[in-house]
Amino acid sequence: MVLLAATATFTQAPPVAEPATGEAEFTVAFSGTPIGRQHVTLARDGSGWIITSSGTLGFPADLKIARFEMKYAPDWQPLELKLEATVRNSPYAVSTSFQLTTAVNEVTQNGVTSSKQDQVSARTIVLPNNIYAAYEALAARLSVAEVNTELPVYVVPQGEIKIRVRAIAAMTLAGPAGSIPVRRFDITFSNPGIPLDGSITVDSRARLVRVDVPTMGLQVVREDAASVAVRPESVHNPTDAPVTIPANGFNLAGTITVPPTVAGRLRYPAVVLVGGAGLTDRDEILAGIPIFAQLARQLADTGHVVLRYDKRAIGQSGGRMENATLSDYADDAIAVVRWLEKRKDVDDRRLIVAGHSEGAAVALIAATKQKSIRGVVSIAGPGTTGAELVLEQQRHVLEAMSLSPEQRQAKIDLQKKIQDAVISGQGLDAIPEDMRKQADTPWFRSLLTYDPGKVLAHLRQPLLIIQGDVDKQVLPTQADRLAELARARKKASPVEIVHIPGINPLLVPAKTGEASEYPDLKERTVSTKVSQAIADWIKKSF
């Protein structure tokens, strides 16, 4: 203890978080299915912080926590960990003691005890796998962090990684019991091999509210924020109103935005906004920018009724996502269209579906199934198969990494191997287990096999293609390819393409379009050039 106190003075640690103490209950879900609960207590005494927990998780974790206790010094220097649990019906225990830059572990599994010592960073954050009480320490540290902050994380007993803060968004979780002011921290776990993106939501008391890791299908939500009636509200437009839409055995929750009152005009063209991949809610918040909330207001101000909605199993919408495909998401969009066309203030002859990124593919599929969709807008939508798009995106990411040409090619070859196995259903056993779990899903298979040429062959409605020309997620060449495919059809319906200079994947002005630029963007409002292109096209086409 003397050594720790002396070192804390010497290193002049960053600001220390002071979270509120008390108990909390969390629900843990994988792929939209609740698998268990964990009870958490954060306490403070003279020696520092104490996090304790108990709980049970079903498949795939198969974990029962009899005792978890993690002690930190007042400045969040780790001191001691104790874990007693059962994993897949086998006893499991870990005891770890920390000095400034050393972690000494004793691991007992199936009656056999082994020792392991690791070098760690000072004030590392201790996160044993599947023990979500430990994320209270991460929440506390994030509460005083800024964009681009890197924090060390020790995954007991494997080793240490870094977490980088990519973006921070302030919002309010609104529900029937009141509002919870929170900040969502978009982070990247720098795991060996494949970085993992996620988000940590922290309340104004520096306490953990939720953990989301979309590619793993993981959601950990605090009880007071777990109700389907609770949703993040980052922005509210003057003419927004909540709506509930019957879908296929469940309800979709959305927001309708109507134009300001105009005397003598009762029926307006309507636009349904369809979000992209991941845990996308109705506002489509990316890098802290509520893209759809802003776009809805811009379109409403130009005389359109606009409806945006939470994807199934996201936000306040029901349904399950673990078996959902692009076609299923298209069916959800169709349910929204059918509901919207019954409104008296909507001109059903001018009812448009506009999809962003993956949502563009969903919008196109929906239009081939539903004739009452009068037109489609593809915003940063793919013009190649999903398999080709994923490889293109991976190549771009690898170009920015310090790898040899051989290392880059090895990663590309592995990605191709994974994709081929997912598409064919053969060879999955040869894929590393963690990668197989992420990739072998109905959604990913439907994305890889998505072919815009085949979908466009059945499209009869007019098509508008909008593309930001500094988009590095979906390159401008994708838009050009999509336009070529659309114009090459027999009896092709009208096709228009609009390239917008200086617009990135978030639809805001940018210089490079790279994700590394997001935190430093000066303009964080969706460009009105996007909404104006849509409004002009609707006016002249219908």
Side-chain angles (χ1 to χ4, degrees), residues 329-540:
Y329 287 120
D331 290 340
D332 295 346
I334 290 169
V336 174
V337 168
R338 288 173 175 166
W339 181 89
L340 189 59
E341 65 184 341
K342 295 176 183 177
R343 285 179 60 100
K344 293 182 179 180
D345 58 350
V346 168
D347 182 353
D348 58 13
R349 297 168 300 175
R350 295 180 292 171
L351 204 162
I352 309 302
V353 174
H356 181 214
S357 188
E358 179 196 289
V362 172
L364 285 169
I365 295 170
T368 64
K369 295 182 174 185
Q370 184 67 21
K371 293 182 180 180
S372 61
I373 297 174
R374 303 295 185 171
V376 182
V377 181
S378 169
I379 306 171
T384 62
T385 65
E388 292 172 306
L389 176 64
V390 171
L391 286 174
E392 180 178 87
Q393 291 174 336
Q394 189 192 45
R395 288 190 182 97
H396 180 72
V397 170
L398 291 174
E399 286 173 1
M401 298 175 68
S402 299
L403 299 172
S404 67
E406 294 76 16
Q407 289 173 318
R408 289 194 184 96
Q409 188 59 49
K411 289 184 178 296
I412 292 171
D413 291 342
L414 176 59
Q415 183 65 39
K416 288 180 179 178
K417 182 179 179 181
I418 292 171
Q419 292 184 184
D420 290 344
V422 170
I423 293 171
S424 67
Q426 299 177 354
L428 286 167
D429 291 342
I431 305 300
E433 183 179 4
D434 57 338
M435 297 181 184
R436 183 172 70 247
K437 288 181 178 179
Q438 294 180 39
D440 188 18
T441 67
W443 167 78
F444 192 52
R445 187 174 297 107
S446 71
L447 175 65
L448 294 177
T449 57
Y450 170 73
D451 186 338
K454 292 180 179 179
V455 175
L456 286 168
H458 301 283
L459 185 74
R460 299 293 177 261
Q461 297 93 328
L463 172 63
L464 170 65
I465 301 167
I466 298 176
Q467 180 68 44
D469 275 354
V470 292
D471 188 336
K472 296 299 173 63
Q473 297 295 315
V474 178
L475 299 180
T477 52
Q478 291 279 337
D480 296 331
R481 176 60 177 157
L482 186 62
E484 290 175 6
L485 291 171
R487 288 168 176 156
R489 296 168 296 162
K490 295 180 179 179
K491 299 180 181 180
S493 53
V495 179
E496 183 174 333
I497 183 169
V498 176
H499 283 271
I500 303 179
I503 300 299
N504 71 3
L506 308 176
L507 309 185
V508 301
K511 293 181 179 179
T512 69
E514 299 286 1
S516 58
E517 182 186 23
Y518 294 176
D520 301 320
L521 289 171
K522 294 181 179 179
E523 179 59 67
R524 305 188 71 81
T525 301
V526 171
S527 171
T528 55
K529 293 179 181 178
V530 177
S531 58
Q532 195 58 55
I534 297 172
D536 291 345
W537 176 73
I538 293 174
K539 185 176 181 179
K540 68 184 178 184

